[in-house]
Amino acid sequence: MSSYLAVIGECLVDVVHSETSAPKAHVGGSPFNVAVGLARLEHQVVFAGRRGEDDYGRMIARSLRAQGINSLLEADDLPTSVARATLDPTGQASYEFSLDWALPSADEVEEKFATCSGDRIHLHTGSIAAMVQPGAETVKGVLHRARETATISYDPNYRPTLVPNREEARQQVEEFIALADVIQASTDDLDLLYPERSHRDTMSAWLELGPSLVTVTRGASGAIALARSGFVEQQAFSVEVADTVGAGDSFMAATLSSLQQRGLLGAHHRQALQDISADTVSEVLRSAAQAAAITSSRFGAQPPSAKELAAALTAAD
């Protein structure tokens, strides 16, 4: 492959419980979902995430192969991580985790990336991978090394059950934001991390740390974004919600896909990304919101294909 988009982060198995059905196991994890979303949007994807040599780990390996995603790391001797998701009557999910998040050193991971054919033009991370030690320190090291050749995106996807100390979480989040070019967060993230200030104020503060684009998803209220060219708002597309699992990850994948289609990913395009116009941000948000809507209309994290997304956008015109 001549160039590829990379994702580093957790892959795990979501065991989903609801009042209306028996528990179901799905492969998930926010970074894994973003990798799948990018692959379905017809990008070459390399994924770096740990899994165990167990039934759940083999389930993850099969899923990666099925999506045509190049898996960078081999299975290890630790158990595969599990998230137990409980859906409320509106389809919103709450999670409990059983996690093992240990990675090789940043230098070792970078050596593995170097064996991939083609150029890594973008690297995405977030969620548990960028918050829980010891792996988060490795991820941070990989981001430092990647900035010379790749743009970087980050989604905090903050879980207070994993890092209950808000000040510690803020510091970690802001360190990653300072390394990234594209930020996505939810209003829940902002409310949990910065309850004392408005969403707009937090977006402005984050933009001052160095990124080119900050997007915030607002569920049924749509999404907002801030770039140096200004503030943009996008209404949600109307769908019958099955559940919201993976909707934010589909939003992230579609955002990156749109930016790549416009030639705005890769370190040598960093200045162009800094200069992104409000009209382009609006186009990117529209595509991302449509991808999230399609995913929300399905059970589980099932992002749209490129054809599905294009058809939906055309139908909405």
Side-chain angles (χ1 to χ4, degrees), residues 164-178:
N165 186 314
R166 181 184 292 142
E167 291 303 317
E168 178 185 331
R170 279 183 180 182
Q171 179 179 345
Q172 185 80 336
V173 164
E174 289 171 6
E175 287 179 13
F176 275 87
I177 287 171

Side-chain angles (χ1 to χ4, degrees), residues 13 15 18 20 46 69 115 124 133 137 144-145 166 184 204 216 223 241 252 260 268 286 294 298 303 312 315:
V13 170
V15 181
S18 72
T20 58
V46 173
I69 297 171
T115 66
H124 172 75
Q133 300 298 350
E137 202 59 32
H144 274 288
R145 290 159 176 78
R166 181 184 292 142
Q184 176 185 306
S204 296
V216 174
V241 175
M252 182 83 255
Q260 168 62 355
H268 54 298
R286 183 172 180 272
I294 293 170
R298 302 166 169 173

Side-chain angles (χ1 to χ4, degrees), residues 21-41:
S21 63
K24 297 178 182 178
H26 308 275
V27 178
S30 177
F32 173 89
N33 292 339
V34 172
V36 171
L38 288 169
R40 291 194 179 179
L41 293 173

